[in-house]
Amino acid sequence: MTAPLLLLLLLLPLLLPFALPPLARRALERLTPVAALWSVTGCAVLLAGCSTLALGMSVLTGLLKLPLFAALGELVHPLRTASDAFVVPAAIASAGVLAGCGVSLVRAVLGQARAFRAARAEAACGAVAGDLCVIDSPRPDAYALPGRPHRVVVTTAMLRSLDGPEREALLAHERAHTAGRHHYALAAAELAAHCHPALRPVRATIRLAAERAADEAAAVSVGDRRLTARAIARAALAGQAARPARPGFAPGAATGPVPQRVQALLATPRPRTARAISTLLIACTALSCVASATATADVHHRVEIAQGDEGP
């Protein structure tokens, strides 16, 4: 494989994530909310992994150009790549990006872990009935808290804001989050967003998809789409001034673009045409995976040649 082709293969995984935000929005329009949630999440995770791998390969090739690391790698021949004037600066830039992403990721994980522990501690002080935990608080809030066991947490202020049927719809919404394991998708979206800046807008789309999926499940559970829309709207109005004291992967009914969710619930469900957008998502992700895997294999082959294990 020529050096320019290797360069192209390393660049593709860094460029393809920029295509995902518009594709993710189209997926939410064309696919069912559940299908959009998991397909977009899977694409985001794979694209994040491929871009990280491409950066890692760039750093590796640059390091092996330096005598110290070439000796550590037992290279007996020079590593055949593009010009050192390009490879070494690219490796330095890639190392800086990886370090920045790593620091951002660690901070996010630590912050989410602290918020999760605080939310679990608060839930432990509430009144528990089955999976429902009621917290005496003047802050209107309701959310699905993952863990062992899973909890549907709701404050007394939120309960006072809704009537009986609306409470039923709200709790059905939160239980749909728990049953659908939506916290895994939200956590994965958060991690992917710290691996590539183009994936940060995708977090909002994935969160909206999770809320839409729970909205639809709640509407089926209570048998009334208008009631579900009213419950979501009133919960959002009640909690708009509150600052959620929960981790980002604990989904709540009053989060996200509520007017868009209410409009979707009040609209007449229509058939979905998903073939085109599904093909684009698969093609984008597959191209990134193939490019990063091929580039990795080529770098490995070049290293083996430099080590004298194989002939050129």
Side-chain angles (χ1 to χ4, degrees), residues 177-213:
H177 280 311
T178 299
R181 302 293 192 267
H182 295 166
H183 53 280
Y184 289 124
L186 298 178
E190 184 69 25
L191 294 178
H194 291 280
C195 295
H196 197 292
L199 298 178
R200 291 171 188 169
V202 180
R203 283 181 299 189
T205 304
I206 290 175
R207 182 168 293 278
L208 176 56
E211 296 303 329
R212 286 280 297 111

Side-chain angles (χ1 to χ4, degrees), residues 26-27 55 62 68 102 106 108 110 113 124 145 152 155 168 194 255 266 280:
R26 293 290 291 175
L55 289 172
L68 174 61
V106 169
L110 293 176
L145 184 62
V152 173
T155 64
E168 181 183 354
H194 291 280
T255 58
L266 296 179
L280 288 173

Side-chain angles (χ1 to χ4, degrees), residues 11-306:
L11 282 176
L12 272 177
L14 302 178
L15 297 177
L16 286 171
F18 289 97
L20 187 58
L23 287 178
R25 291 190 293 269
R26 293 290 291 175
L28 189 53
E29 295 173 0
R30 297 294 183 180
L31 304 176
T32 64
V34 172
L37 171 65
W38 292 110
S39 60
V40 172
T41 300
C43 289
V45 170
L46 289 173
L47 289 174
C50 291
S51 65
T52 303
L53 181 59
L55 289 172
M57 289 299 101
S58 177
V59 172
L60 177 63
T61 55
L63 288 176
L64 291 177
K65 287 290 187 177
L66 304 177
L68 174 61
F69 291 94
L72 291 174
E74 300 180 349
L75 303 189
V76 296
H77 305 295
L79 183 67
R80 298 173 59 184
T81 61
S83 171
D84 292 3
F86 174 81
V87 171
V88 174
I92 294 173
S94 298
V97 172
L98 281 176
C101 291
V103 170
S104 175
L105 181 60
V106 169
R107 287 179 177 175
V109 169
L110 293 176
Q112 291 295 302
R114 286 193 297 269
F116 178 66
R117 288 194 298 268
R120 292 295 298 185
E122 184 182 37
C125 299
V128 177
D131 66 340
L132 179 62
C133 176
V134 179
I135 298 174
D136 186 10
S137 172
R139 184 188 72 248
D141 200 7
Y143 55 94
L145 184 62
R148 295 186 179 179
H150 295 294
R151 295 291 187 203
V152 173
V153 180
V154 61
T155 64
T156 52
M158 179 61 80
L159 292 176
R160 287 193 295 267
S161 302
L162 307 176
D163 60 26
E166 290 168 350
R167 293 174 188 170
E168 181 183 354
L170 179 71
L171 296 180
H173 173 99
E174 302 303 344
R175 289 190 172 106
H177 280 311
T178 299
R181 302 293 192 267
H182 295 166
H183 53 280
Y184 289 124
L186 298 178
E190 184 69 25
L191 294 178
H194 291 280
C195 295
H196 197 292
L199 298 178
R200 291 171 188 169
V202 180
R203 283 181 299 189
T205 304
I206 290 175
R207 182 168 293 278
L208 176 56
E211 296 303 329
R212 286 280 297 111
D215 290 342
E216 293 296 330
V220 171
S221 178
V222 301
D224 191 334
R225 298 180 68 86
R226 296 188 68 85
L227 169 62
T228 305
R230 188 171 71 248
I232 297 302
R234 292 192 63 183
L237 288 174
Q240 63 182 352
R243 293 183 177 180
R246 61 175 185 267
F249 56 82
T255 58
V258 174
Q260 185 176 343
R261 293 166 53 199
V262 170
Q263 183 179 10
L265 282 169
L266 296 179
T268 302
R270 62 181 186 277
R272 305 276 180 158
T273 53
R275 181 175 300 175
I277 191 63
S278 298
T279 301
L280 288 173
L281 285 173
I282 293 172
C284 180
T285 307
L287 182 58
S288 182
C289 291
V290 170
S292 59
T294 305
T296 300
D298 185 69
V299 170
H300 180 263
H301 180 64
R302 290 169 186 265
V303 171
E304 287 185 331
I305 292 175

